[in-house]
Amino acid sequence: MRRTLLYWLTAGLLASVLFVPVGASAAPTAISTNARAAALIDVESGRILYSSRGNERMKIASLTKIMTAIVAIEHGNLSDAVRTSRRAAGKEGSSIYLKVGEEMSLQNLLYGLMLRSGNDAATAIAEHVGGSEEGFVYLMNKKAELLGLENTRFANPHGLDDADHYSSANDMAKLTAYALRNAVFRDIVKTRVKTVPNPNDSWDYNWTNKNKMLALYEGADGVKTGYTKQAFRCLVSSATRNGQQLAAVTLNDGDDWADHRRLLDWGFGNYPLEALAENGQKLAGYELSVARSFRYPLAEGERQAVTTRLVPQTKEDMRYVLGDAGKLEFYLDDVKIGSVPVKPVQPPPEKAALTGGQNREQAAAAAAAVRDRRELSGIFASVLRVLFRGREAV
């Protein structure tokens, strides 16, 4: 009880003990775009760094395919052969020119979807993964719900204009940050050129990514272009510099390439990732250490507003025995921005036996006990192998 009380009394001191704040500074210089709506997000933390009319529901054209791709990756088998239906082959708009009955792997179709924005690819993917286009759209909307995208609704997998099909700049930023944490999605959207076998002719498909940001911006690694007569120009781009990845979103923007360069430069310049905790870092005054690193994008002067709160488990709690000693929570201006688990710091038995001025006999006894435990474990493992050898052979 006394130890638990000590945890709580000293938890409030962690901010000053572990993390030294820097001096205050003015807010980042304001920025604007030519877009009707825009957003900028830090991918690792999910912090939206900039938003202009970010929650306004708008048409998003082929940015829709970001959701199509991540749902297909999570629900489909990339090696599956997908047969093109008549409905898919005849889909209007941008196309990779699939023929009725043509088969292509789901993985290759995803490249056609994201690099060339094929509406035929989107339809074929939806019919294969969802059983029907309607079934796949249901999966898209369920995913939007799970991700908390409150201003998003999908009516199709390709993004052709529909009154019941919309999203917002903030929602698209959140969706993109989620999708970019998937290795398959990440590899596809950063690809500049993809060659895919063509079963109908002697030449292969050779798809060049429509996303010019990949060539225009240093560190660019995604994501998707979009355009319809009602949505106008839409763009989601991403870039990585100094280990930090940002994603920018503009909806209805006639100068999107320039706006994205400016947004990304502004984000990297004003909100660098800062390490608030390092894996293995010991908490001062505790027999506890941080079990996972934590980084967060902070503008100059924001560090002084970061505070921490230790939420410990008592040593009597079984979760503590299993290695869960609680968590360290981080707050920016009293708003929780994340947390990391903490674990007990316990030296190895062999080293523990030699500390605290113990004599040689005590050390030898402790070492012998360790050897006995190891021998017992070996005997137990041998018995198990004998007992289950027959089953393994079967």
Side-chain angles (χ1 to χ4, degrees):
M1 181 64 183
R2 185 169 176 272
R3 181 71 175 181
T4 302
L5 181 60
L6 180 62
Y7 280 5
W8 286 104
L9 289 175
T10 54
L13 299 177
L14 283 174
S16 59
V17 173
L18 292 174
F19 313 117
V20 180
V22 298
S25 180
T29 304
I31 189 173
S32 62
T33 71
N34 297 287
R36 180 177 175 85
L40 179 70
I41 194 169
D42 173 74
V43 171
E44 181 175 326
S45 67
R47 182 183 186 183
I48 291 183
L49 309 177
Y50 171 82
S51 179
S52 174
R53 303 175 77 168
N55 291 321
E56 183 174 334
R57 295 179 176 181
M58 298 176 59
K59 288 181 168 56
I60 56 170
S62 287
L63 302 190
T64 299
K65 290 165 182 153
I66 296 172
M67 179 64 90
T68 303
I70 194 63
V71 169
I73 291 167
E74 291 182 346
H75 289 270
N77 185 332
L78 296 178
S79 62
D80 277 359
V82 179
R83 181 179 291 273
T84 304
S85 70
R86 187 171 301 278
R87 181 183 186 184
K91 186 59 62 178
E92 67 271 22
S94 56
S95 177
I96 59 172
Y97 306 104
L98 295 171
K99 294 179 172 58
V100 177
E102 179 177 349
E103 290 191 351
M104 184 180 292
S105 72
L106 176 58
Q107 184 166 25
N108 285 339
L109 276 176
L110 287 167
Y111 279 95
L113 176 81
M114 299 304 287
L115 273 63
R116 298 305 300 168
S117 202
N119 292 341
D120 50 353
T123 305
I125 289 169
E127 291 176 340
H128 178 81
V129 175
S132 67
E133 185 172 318
E134 295 74 18
F136 188 83
V137 169
Y138 172 81
L139 294 177
M140 295 171 72
N141 284 315
K142 289 301 292 183
K143 190 67 180 181
E145 183 181 337
L146 288 171
L147 293 177
L149 309 183
E150 297 179 352
N151 295 301
T152 297
R153 181 172 177 78
F154 297 104
N156 60 61
H158 37 69
L160 290 174
D161 293 325
D162 187 295
D164 204 28
H165 189 99
Y166 53 81
S167 188
S168 69
N170 284 358
D171 278 5
M172 289 308 302
K174 295 172 187 176
L175 171 62
T176 300
Y178 173 82
L180 283 170
R181 296 184 187 119
N182 182 285
V184 174
F185 180 92
R186 196 165 57 243
D187 287 343
I188 291 172
V189 298
K190 71 180 181 183
T191 300
R192 295 194 184 189
V193 180
K194 178 68 174 178
T195 300
V196 172
N198 183 348
N200 302 305
D201 292 287
S202 58
W203 47 270
D204 290 336
Y205 292 112
N206 195 54
W207 296 326
T208 300
N209 201 321
K210 289 185 177 183
N211 181 11
K212 294 181 181 179
M213 286 294 289
L214 295 176
L216 292 174
Y217 192 80
E218 180 184 353
D221 47 20
V223 176
K224 189 72 188 72
T225 60
Y227 174 82
T228 67
K229 291 181 180 180
Q230 294 182 28
F232 299 101
R233 290 179 65 88
C234 301
L235 178 63
V236 174
S237 68
S238 66
T240 302
R241 290 185 180 177
N242 300 317
Q244 179 181 21
Q245 187 174 34
L246 302 180
V249 180
T250 53
L251 305 178
N252 189 352
D253 186 352
D255 197 16
D256 48 11
W257 306 121
D259 281 339
H260 278 245
R261 286 196 296 267
R262 292 173 58 247
L263 277 171
L264 292 167
D265 281 345
W266 181 87
F268 286 126
N270 289 288
Y271 287 92
L273 277 176
E274 293 200 34
L276 298 183
E278 298 287 353
N279 183 31
Q281 179 180 352
K282 189 174 180 180
L283 305 191
Y286 293 83
E287 295 178 357
L288 299 173
S289 66
V290 175
R292 185 177 68 243
S293 298
F294 180 71
R295 302 192 303 169
Y296 199 77
L298 295 172
E300 186 178 357
E302 282 191 325
R303 185 70 174 262
Q304 69 175 5
V306 174
T307 57
T308 57
R309 183 181 304 163
L310 178 63
V311 183
Q313 304 284 4
T314 65
K315 283 193 172 183
E316 291 74 25
D317 194 305
M318 180 56 69
R319 287 171 292 185
Y320 188 99
V321 176
L322 296 174
D324 176 11
K327 59 184 177 180
L328 187 63
E329 298 178 337
F330 298 85
Y331 293 81
L332 176 60
D333 292 326
D334 297 323
V335 177
K336 186 177 177 180
I337 58 175
S339 65
V340 293
V342 294
K343 60 185 179 182
V345 176
Q346 296 177 338
E350 293 91 336
K351 293 183 180 179
L354 298 174
T355 61
Q358 291 178 326
N359 57 35
R360 291 185 179 181
E361 292 181 359
Q362 291 174 309
V370 171
R371 287 195 300 272
D372 289 344
R373 287 197 296 271
R374 288 176 178 170
E375 290 176 5
L376 183 60
S377 296
I379 294 170
F380 183 66
S382 299
V383 172
L384 287 178
R385 283 196 295 271
V386 171
L387 289 174
F388 291 99
R389 184 175 300 156
R391 295 186 183 182
E392 292 175 358
V394 175

